Amino acid sequence: LMVALNRLMPHAAGVKESIESGKVWLATGNAMTLFGKTLTRKEEQPAVGVFDYATTIDDSKRFLGDVLTADEPATLGFINTSCIYKGIESPLLTLYLNKELGNDKVTAFDGIREKNFFGTQLIGPFLVKNPHYMEKVCSLLTGEEVTVDKDSNMAKAYEVALKELKARVDATK
């Protein structure tokens, strides 16, 4: 993470201009950390500063688990982080399963959405696991409507995983 931040910092003005002009960005997992105002591990240091949130990394803890959102259509994935985000005003998602894994580890809000910047703590193949986001992001990138075939393996895998995660939620009620 720190290597990525150090490599990105010389380009901070260009990154900020790109995001503010509406270019499409997707930051998953800990990559979201890079775009806030500050990053604190042992000491506070500036991050790229596109957005006005602060990230604290607590190396003594891991926040991890499967997640399912309350949004429609539901988004699913996995969070594995030691990051705590404070000050995000426009979250991308609202967690339903494992709400305590949200940005601040108190509320159920995950990620950030500003213009065409999509940031989420969810790791792994975020777009492949969530065909509706694949459609949204690819449509924004191409300027044309992109759809995922409902009979595709991607769509079928999403439906199976969604069913299983919903069953897990129902079992805890």
Side-chain angles (χ1 to χ4, degrees):
L1 185 61
M2 301 313 288
V3 170
L5 180 60
N6 290 335
R7 291 194 176 172
L8 194 57
M9 286 302 286
H11 309 285
V15 169
K16 188 172 187 170
E17 179 183 316
S18 173
I19 292 170
E20 287 176 353
S21 73
K23 299 286 189 263
V24 179
W25 284 74
L26 175 63
T28 63
N30 292 334
M32 200 172 95
T33 300
L34 305 173
F35 299 92
K37 187 175 184 179
T38 61
L39 169 62
T40 303
R41 188 171 233 143
K42 293 179 178 142
E43 59 186 46
E44 184 177 284
Q45 68 181 69
V48 173
V50 176
F51 306 112
D52 197 31
Y53 60 84
T55 304
T56 301
I57 299 176
D58 184 346
D59 289 321
S60 69
K61 295 182 182 176
R62 289 308 287 179
F63 306 98
L64 60 115
D66 290 316
V67 295
L68 177 65
T69 69
D71 312 292
E72 284 297 325
T75 301
L76 51 93
F78 189 78
I79 292 176
N80 181 1
T81 188
S82 56
C83 297
I84 301 168
Y85 302 93
K86 302 276 185 168
I88 294 179
E89 300 291 326
S90 55
L92 177 66
L93 304 167
T94 304
L95 302 179
Y96 183 61
L97 173 63
N98 287 324
K99 296 176 189 178
E100 70 280 2
L101 296 178
N103 290 334
D104 59 8
K105 310 307 176 252
V106 176
T107 62
F109 300 119
D110 171 71
I112 182 171
R113 170 75 192 270
E114 290 284 341
K115 297 185 181 179
N116 287 329
F117 182 92
F118 301 84
T120 178
Q121 297 181 90
L122 278 66
I123 62 171
F126 176 75
L127 295 178
V128 174
K129 285 184 175 183
N130 295 286
H132 55 287
Y133 267 102
M134 175 77 80
E135 292 172 340
K136 183 183 292 189
V137 171
C138 289
S139 294
L140 288 168
L141 284 169
T142 64
E144 299 174 8
E145 184 178 354
V146 174
T147 58
V148 173
D149 183 347
K150 303 303 178 207
D151 289 327
S152 69
N153 286 337
M154 180 191 309
K156 289 176 183 175
Y158 169 81
E159 291 300 328
V160 169
L162 179 62
K163 181 180 174 184
E164 290 180 12
L165 290 173
K166 283 183 174 179
R168 196 179 305 172
V169 170
D170 291 343
T172 62
K173 290 181 180 178

